[in-house]
């Protein structure tokens, strides 16, 4: 009996997400095919010009837009940003610094601070448990 290794493939949407690009902005041949794990690795290792251009100028998917603005995806939606944005549009938003963006950045900073506090609290508790057990 011979073992047959199947090639792992993914939908273009999954591959675009892993590459951090907006699917609708990728070339038609990328959108219409399936992507193998090795093709994805090759795209990440040596990005073709279209991928470099997309990463640099966009349009960017919402998770990337949110990260570049320092807010959550939900914060983007609350601010009325539901579409992919280009780097130029993101930079313009940063310059404009509307009230919703300031508010969402503050909220995001508080969320991060709280996450750190909880992580430290758990670490201290784990350390106490470990010390009492030894």
């Amino acid at each position: 009996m011979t073992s047959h290794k199947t090639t792992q493939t993914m939908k273009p949407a999954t591959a675009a997400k892993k590459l951090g690009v907006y699917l609708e902005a990728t070339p038609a041949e990328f959108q219409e095919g399936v992507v193998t794990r090795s093709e994805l690795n090759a795209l990440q290792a040596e990005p073709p010009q279209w991928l470099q251009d997309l990463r640099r100028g966009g349009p960017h998917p919402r998770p990337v837009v949110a990260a570049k603005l320092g807010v959550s995806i939900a914060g983007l939606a609350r601010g009325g940003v539901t579409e992919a944005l280009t780097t130029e549009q993101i930079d313009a938003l940063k310059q404009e610094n509307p009230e919703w963006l300031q508010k969402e950045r503050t909220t995001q900073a508080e969320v991060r601070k709280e996450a750190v506090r909880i992580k430290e609290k758990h670490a201290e508790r784990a350390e106490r448990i470990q010390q009492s057990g030894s």
Side-chain angles (χ1 to χ4, degrees):
M1 217 200 292
T2 59
S3 72
H4 180 69
K5 190 175 181 201
T6 56
T7 304
Q8 190 180 10
T9 61
M10 61 194 83
K11 294 177 183 168
T14 304
K17 192 181 236 179
K18 288 179 182 287
L19 292 168
V21 295
Y22 186 56
L23 177 63
E24 284 75 9
T26 61
E29 59 269 14
F30 180 86
Q31 293 180 40
E32 294 161 4
V34 292
V35 181
T36 66
R37 172 68 58 195
S38 58
E39 287 171 335
L40 179 72
N41 292 342
L43 286 169
Q44 289 172 322
E46 291 183 38
Q49 192 60 50
W50 66 264
L51 183 53
Q52 292 175 39
D53 293 344
L54 269 181
R55 285 178 168 168
R56 190 177 316 104
H60 302 287
R62 285 181 307 162
V64 174
V65 173
K68 285 180 180 278
L69 290 173
V71 300
S72 66
I73 294 173
L76 275 184
R78 286 190 292 270
V81 178
T82 56
E83 296 300 312
L85 298 180
T86 63
T87 300
E88 202 174 291
Q89 290 170 312
I90 293 168
D91 291 343
L93 254 178
K94 286 178 178 176
Q95 285 295 115
E96 191 182 307
N97 201 14
E99 193 177 322
W100 72 264
L101 182 56
Q102 295 171 38
K103 185 175 171 230
E104 291 301 335
R105 281 180 163 167
T106 302
T107 301
Q108 191 68 5
E110 289 168 5
V111 166
R112 285 191 191 109
K113 220 182 325 183
E114 180 64 5
V116 168
R117 187 190 70 77
I118 290 169
K119 187 176 179 182
E120 287 171 351
K121 185 177 174 185
H122 286 302
E124 287 170 13
R125 186 179 303 143
E127 197 174 308
R128 280 197 306 271
I129 291 169
Q130 191 176 22
Q131 287 172 347
S132 66
S134 46

